[in-house]
Amino acid sequence: MGKRFRKITLWLVSIIILIIIGLVLFSPYRKWDGQGYRSVQASIEINLPVDSVFQFMGNSKLASSWSVYVDDITTLNQDTIPDGAVGSVRRCFARPKESGQQWDEVISIVEKNKKRQLIIYNLVKFPIIAEGLKTEQLYEKLGEKKTKLTLTLFYNRDKPSNMEWFKTKIAAYEIKRIFKGNLQNIKRIIEEGK
């Protein structure tokens, strides 16, 4: 019985190791064309002009209508800096009544109709914490009434630690799923409202 148990245990451990290796190898956290760093990203084409998409995405109050993860976003310094502008700080809540996971974001870069970058910090109630994350909304004009919107997540420094790299390789599957759901909702809402 002991020999058979060891064989089964070894077999199961081998399968688990192979699954983990596969998850790491095929992870959506990788280097994309034209980037010198790893990120998670997803894109969608929207049948509206780039300025309409850019303006829609700069309104924090609309996030709860399209996000599959965020329930509410509260702007923290709107009395001094407009929502969506550089320096705008907002607190994001994953659950109703400002409960559950939450984090803060500060908008660090705004290039009209091209890019909006946010630094993520103060993560609360997350099972896996990764510090120094940034996210971007990238806008590409494909025509007068067609825009490619890309959402990205990456580290705010050249190289994450080995543990951060591993955690992000695994978490990237869920991040990509959230990005895809968000993008589909954004496309539906913004195109229906045109």
Side-chain angles (χ1 to χ4, degrees):
M1 185 74 162
K3 203 175 208 183
R4 183 174 180 206
F5 178 76
R6 281 195 301 269
K7 281 185 178 181
I8 291 171
T9 303
L10 182 61
W11 184 78
L12 287 173
V13 169
S14 298
I15 288 176
I16 291 169
I17 290 170
L18 287 173
I19 289 170
I20 291 171
I21 289 170
L23 288 172
V24 168
L25 287 175
F26 298 106
S27 174
Y29 176 61
R30 61 184 179 85
K31 287 185 180 178
W32 298 82
D33 292 339
Q35 283 184 328
Y37 56 91
R38 286 179 176 82
S39 67
V40 181
Q41 62 179 255
S43 301
I44 199 163
E45 291 182 9
I46 299 172
N47 295 312
L48 277 171
V50 68
D51 60 330
S52 298
V53 179
F54 185 82
Q55 185 177 358
F56 177 85
M57 293 298 294
N59 187 339
S60 295
K61 290 180 180 143
L62 297 176
S64 61
S65 68
W66 55 260
S67 179
V68 298
Y69 193 74
V70 174
D71 180 73
D72 185 40
I73 295 179
T74 302
T75 52
L76 302 179
N77 62 345
Q78 193 169 3
D79 54 333
T80 56
I81 298 175
D83 184 27
V86 171
S88 175
V89 179
R90 55 197 207 167
R91 182 156 294 147
C92 304
F93 299 94
R95 301 288 168 256
K97 299 181 183 173
E98 300 185 351
S99 64
Q101 296 171 339
Q102 70 179 56
W103 63 96
D104 293 338
E105 300 173 339
V106 60
I107 298 176
S108 56
I109 297 174
V110 174
E111 295 174 16
K112 188 173 179 180
N113 298 336
K114 292 186 180 182
K115 172 168 51 173
R116 187 176 283 112
Q117 185 180 92
L118 300 94
I119 298 171
I120 301 168
Y121 61 102
N122 289 341
L123 286 82
V124 176
K125 296 184 182 176
F126 279 82
I128 298 174
I129 299 293
E131 294 295 331
L133 293 172
K134 285 186 179 181
T135 185
E136 287 181 332
Q137 305 161 0
L138 303 173
Y139 305 84
E140 182 181 345
K141 182 178 179 178
L142 300 177
E144 288 305 310
K145 293 188 176 181
K146 192 165 213 165
T147 302
K148 179 179 176 184
L149 174 61
T150 301
L151 302 178
T152 73
L153 181 83
F154 56 98
Y155 282 92
N156 189 21
R157 56 192 180 283
D158 289 339
K159 191 173 179 186
S161 70
N162 289 337
M163 185 52 99
E164 288 170 330
W165 175 86
F166 179 75
K167 289 189 296 187
T168 308
K169 279 283 194 178
I170 302 303
Y173 292 95
E174 178 64 6
I175 295 165
K176 180 115 180 182
R177 184 195 68 76
I178 290 168
F179 280 175
K180 283 182 171 183
N182 289 349
L183 288 166
Q184 289 168 355
N185 288 340
I186 291 164
K187 178 179 174 68
R188 178 183 48 78
I189 291 166
I190 199 167
E191 286 183 355
E192 287 175 0
K194 58 182 175 175

